Amino acid sequence: MMLRRAALMLVLGLFCIGPVAKASAQQAVRQPLLMEGRATLFQRVILRPGARLAERPDANAPSQPTPGFGVFYVYARQGSGADAWLEIGAAQDGRTQGWVRAERTIDWKQTMVLAFNNPAGRERAMFFRDAETPRALWLNTRGGAAEATRLREAARANTEGPVIALEPENFIDITRQFYLLPIISAQRVENEAAQEARLLEVISAPAQATPPPADPDALRNYRGAVVFVVDTTISMGPYIERTREALKRVVDRIRDTAVRDNFRFGMVAFRDHMGGNPRLEYVTRMVSLPDLAEASDAILPRLSQLAEARESNEGFDEDSLAGIKLALDEVPWQQYGGRFVILVTDAGARDAKDPRSQTQMGPEEMRLLAQSEAKQVAIYAIHLKTPEGRNNHARAERQYRELTRRGAAGELYYPINEGNLGQFGQTVDAVTDALLAQVAATVGRPIAGIRAPQTAAERRIFEQAEIVGTAMRLSYLGRERQQAAPDVVRSFVLDQELNPADPRPERRPLDVRVLLTRNQLSDLATTLRNIIQAQAAERLSPESFFERVRAAAAATARDPRRMAEFQRLGGAFGEFLQDLPYQSQIMEVTREDWINWGSGRRTEIVNALEAKLRLYEEFNRQPSLWVSFDGGRNPGEAMYPVPLDALP
């Protein structure tokens, strides 16, 4: 296939097919066919373009065309070879839409899909005609990167070759503009340097509607929001004042410029669990929301609310993640293209295992939530390493490096040694200047007076801000232009950037996701609760832990017969997690593993599961994230593309 299209076309939108034959009472009790060897998973197919739905399995029967790439359950199979037919339905409720030739369908054994990561700071992914070319490139640790560059340039020039498509240039938000890029098969490929990638076979198809023409002035309406999340505990007095000063400087700088309409600021204050002490006043407080209905300097009179606490909290950790969560939940991020949070604190975070944590989430789960398609927020952390917190610094640094990790930009983490007030002020100024410069450059309205970076640390801040700003811009353009994209393509792609010499995870172009239904996510959450409760009950007797999990799973499983074989903890999870190409933290654990690990390791695992559970609850609370293939007939069948990293 000649590459005359600029990028890979995706299946955009959802398809609702009217019934060819009316549902009967008999159909209402039918179930789709089970997958071979499965007790709870039903057969599903994806329709090829050109498929027609017929009233009966007969080439002469009345039929109607149907859009390609609809997803359906299989209720019956009849015939073989060229005369094979499938009876299909959009949902599990027994109602069928008609019959389709089997040759016009593709079996979809795992509801795995690809989601593009933002292309800022990396090369666009290549989709290959065959599996051998990307496999050979990955195995070639010496010359693979150079050959990948050559192939990519040839593809850009529309030269015939093994690359049949490139990913879209602008970032496409999979939940705002849902696209279906199904994975048909997946295998792990490891090279001689022990670096691992997933080689994925995928299919794609054209959008069903022509996207509107791009607005040449789209970026003129691009707006940025910066929300400071500030520690206001008793030790933070000087830093609160310096943060206030930095924000005043930024507002004053843009007050009389054209870019003032493209920038808004917000402020969240946080302290810690009050522990019954009213003098701590609050855990989190919204000081000022960024509001496009107000002037850019509306935040200034509200800054007087920022004041350090009058009493100390318990321990050195504070609930910074609660402050981040309030900013993620309350700010109307959908109004902004540039979305930035700047955390300022001198302490570590209360994480998922801390009973005084308001969110019961860890840094990883908070990062996943911030970077989810519904938020797409970049978190910066300015960490004051004051002498008083020397025993807390290493742990806090690990937390905030994880919290701020963002694709090709790396970790947006800036430590301030000895809590030096002068260095802190320079860092705050550099971060705000860098973000301001990115928004100003995006809308084409430069701002005078932004100081060029003077030190290596400041240059790093500006370089990272450029990558983050580019990612925000590509995401914004993808939304504004409704980026769509080739004719039906069956191709192969690696989920890692094709540069074996530099396989950094943050440069990964693609995420493998699993479309889980609400029912499946509910089952997954129930299983995690069962494991957590069994561990809490059996701290002194780990030998009976497996029996408790087995009993709880049997009581809640949709098919209790599966509990008869329970050699690993994976037996407690739904079949939808089996055969996925990922390394589970918990599913392969045996009874002997659990006993031999010791209490510390067991507690660590359970704490991680608790954090995952909080993340699933967040997914469930956001209805805009869920999509439906059956026209919304069954809410339990609505689906969300869960990242593999979010699975237990």
Side-chain angles (χ1 to χ4, degrees):
M1 181 188 298
M2 288 293 291
L3 186 81
R4 286 191 283 264
R5 277 82 44 189
L8 182 74
M9 296 289 280
L10 308 173
V11 186
L12 299 170
L14 302 174
F15 308 103
C16 299
I17 311 299
V20 173
K22 293 184 179 296
S24 66
Q26 182 181 5
Q27 285 179 312
V29 298
R30 294 177 66 191
Q31 281 193 325
L33 300 178
L34 289 168
M35 292 184 185
E36 184 177 356
R38 295 288 186 256
T40 59
L41 294 184
F42 298 114
Q43 296 180 27
R44 302 185 88 171
V45 293
I46 301 169
L47 297 190
R48 295 176 180 270
R52 297 183 67 89
L53 284 171
E55 293 183 357
R56 58 183 183 275
D58 184 343
N60 298 317
S63 64
Q64 65 181 34
T66 180
F69 281 70
V71 178
F72 291 88
Y73 289 95
V74 178
Y75 279 81
R77 292 179 179 266
Q78 183 171 308
S80 61
D83 291 328
W85 290 78
L86 308 181
E87 187 180 16
I88 60 173
Q92 300 179 33
D93 57 9
R95 292 182 286 179
T96 58
Q97 270 64 47
W99 292 81
V100 63
R101 285 190 179 275
E103 64 184 16
R104 302 310 304 164
T105 68
I106 300 169
D107 288 333
W108 198 16
K109 295 181 180 179
Q110 286 284 1
T111 53
M112 292 188 299
V113 296
L114 278 186
F116 292 109
N117 289 324
N118 200 294
R122 63 167 176 83
E123 295 287 355
R124 291 154 67 188
M126 294 182 285
F127 292 77
F128 295 86
R129 190 185 313 278
D130 59 70
E132 291 313 308
T133 302
R135 180 184 287 110
L137 288 172
W138 186 255
L139 295 177
N140 184 359
T141 56
R142 293 174 177 84
E147 178 64 8
T149 298
R150 187 190 69 78
L151 291 174
R152 187 178 287 105
E153 291 305 314
R156 288 195 179 106
N158 291 327
T159 302
E160 181 74 19
V163 180
I164 60 176
L166 296 173
E167 74 170 285
E169 185 172 3
N170 293 323
F171 179 57
I172 307 175
D173 183 332
I174 195 172
T175 55
R176 293 180 183 275
Q177 191 180 6
F178 181 81
Y179 57 86
L180 187 64
L181 194 53
I183 298 171
I184 303 304
S185 65
Q187 58 179 287
R188 292 189 179 93
V189 182
E190 186 174 316
N191 60 27
E192 61 184 14
Q195 298 160 345
E196 190 176 273
R198 298 183 186 99
L199 179 59
L200 308 166
E201 181 184 5
V202 300
I203 53 175
S204 59
Q208 299 304 305
T210 302
D215 177 5
D217 295 323
L219 288 175
R220 289 281 177 175
N221 297 318
Y222 182 92
R223 295 180 172 90
V226 175
V227 178
F228 284 85
V229 177
V230 181
D231 182 345
T232 59
T233 53
I234 197 167
S235 59
M236 286 292 294
Y239 307 105
I240 292 172
E241 181 55 37
R242 187 60 181 83
T243 302
R244 187 187 290 120
E245 178 185 333
L247 192 47
K248 287 179 179 177
R249 287 182 181 181
V250 172
V251 172
D252 288 342
R253 184 175 296 151
I254 69 170
R255 193 195 304 267
D256 297 322
T257 68
V259 82
R260 67 180 181 276
D261 294 328
N262 297 87
F263 227 97
R264 292 295 182 271
F265 304 93
M267 182 78 72
V268 170
F270 73 88
R271 289 178 180 169
D272 196 20
H273 186 275
M274 295 171 64
N277 182 359
R279 290 176 64 82
L280 285 177
E281 299 182 280
Y282 56 83
V283 178
T284 62
R285 173 179 289 174
M286 179 61 69
V287 177
S288 184
L289 279 170
D291 190 345
L292 292 171
E294 297 181 331
S296 58
D297 60 359
I299 188 175
L300 295 182
R302 299 165 189 161
L303 295 181
S304 60
Q305 298 179 35
L306 278 181
E308 62 192 285
R310 292 172 291 175
E311 291 195 12
S312 297
N313 56 302
E314 183 178 345
F316 203 83
D317 282 345
E318 290 146 8
D319 209 347
S320 55
L321 296 184
I324 297 287
K325 183 69 163 50
L326 182 64
L328 295 179
D329 288 346
E330 298 297 326
V331 173
W333 296 110
Q334 70 279 3
Q335 299 177 13
Y336 300 95
R339 305 169 181 184
F340 313 101
V341 163
I342 302 175
L343 172 67
V344 178
T345 184
D346 66 349
R350 296 204 183 279
D351 58 21
K353 64 184 179 182
D354 193 323
R356 289 164 291 187
S357 165
Q358 188 178 77
T359 67
Q360 294 293 290
M361 296 173 71
E364 180 187 13
E365 289 72 34
M366 196 63 69
R367 175 180 59 79
L368 288 170
L369 182 62
Q371 295 180 11
S372 68
E373 287 78 6
K375 307 294 184 184
Q376 296 184 18
V377 173
I379 301 176
Y380 286 71
I382 301 177
H383 177 204
L384 300 156
K385 291 187 170 182
T386 59
E388 294 79 8
R390 62 176 58 89
N391 295 327
N392 181 261
H393 294 332
R395 176 175 176 275
E397 179 172 340
R398 289 193 299 271
Q399 291 178 317
Y400 295 138
R401 286 189 181 278
E402 174 62 34
L403 177 68
T404 61
R405 184 160 52 84
R406 186 175 178 83
E411 297 158 347
L412 308 177
Y413 168 80
Y414 309 113
I416 308 298
N417 292 327
E418 300 299 316
N420 183 280
L421 187 59
Q423 183 190 352
F424 169 71
Q426 292 170 7
T427 302
V428 172
D429 289 344
V431 171
T432 52
D433 277 0
L435 298 182
L436 191 62
Q438 282 301 311
V439 173
T442 296
V443 300
R445 296 166 179 159
I447 301 173
I450 292 182
R451 186 174 64 94
Q454 305 296 311
T455 65
E458 290 181 354
R459 284 193 290 275
R460 172 175 170 254
I461 289 172
F462 272 73
E463 289 168 359
Q464 289 182 302
E466 184 174 0
I467 295 173
V468 173
T470 299
M472 297 284 185
R473 182 174 69 252
L474 292 173
S475 178
Y476 175 80
L477 286 173
R479 294 192 298 271
E480 290 297 302
R481 295 176 176 177
Q482 298 180 28
Q483 177 80 38
D487 297 305
V488 177
V489 173
R490 190 167 189 140
S491 59
F492 296 84
V493 64
L494 287 164
D495 70 339
Q496 298 285 358
E497 187 170 56
L498 268 167
N499 186 358
D502 184 21
R504 285 180 284 171
E506 61 267 20
R507 296 173 66 92
R508 188 170 62 189
L510 302 161
D511 269 344
V512 178
R513 302 199 178 197
V514 185
L515 286 176
L516 294 187
T517 67
R518 282 190 182 277
N519 289 337
Q520 289 171 335
L521 194 67
S522 175
D523 290 349
L524 185 54
T526 297
T527 300
L528 295 191
R529 290 190 191 96
N530 290 342
I531 292 173
I532 293 165
Q533 291 167 4
Q535 165 65 358
E538 296 300 332
R539 290 186 186 276
L540 300 180
S541 179
E543 292 79 7
S544 58
F545 167 79
F546 258 63
E547 284 63 36
R548 280 186 174 270
V549 174
R550 189 202 316 269
T556 58
R558 298 180 190 273
D559 183 9
R561 294 171 297 175
R562 293 182 55 242
M563 297 302 106
E565 296 294 331
F566 195 97
Q567 304 303 316
R568 291 174 171 80
L569 275 181
F573 290 87
E575 291 180 315
F576 52 85
L577 294 187
Q578 295 180 19
D579 303 325
L580 292 176
Y582 86 110
Q583 297 291 333
S584 170
Q585 183 184 30
I586 190 71
M587 292 181 65
E588 293 303 310
V589 174
T590 65
R591 184 175 185 274
E592 290 70 28
D593 291 334
W594 189 259
I595 295 171
N596 294 335
W597 270 347
S599 61
R601 176 65 171 147
R602 292 193 294 267
T603 300
E604 179 184 334
I605 290 290
V606 169
N607 289 339
L609 296 183
E610 288 179 331
K612 299 289 187 190
L613 183 58
R614 300 288 88 74
L615 185 61
Y616 301 156
E617 291 169 350
E618 288 297 323
F619 289 161
N620 198 49
R621 277 198 287 266
Q622 300 182 53
S624 63
L625 300 181
W626 295 81
V627 295
S628 175
F629 289 112
D630 66 356
R633 293 207 305 247
N634 185 347
E637 288 297 297
M639 306 188 91
Y640 176 68
V642 177
L644 282 181
D645 291 346
L647 295 177

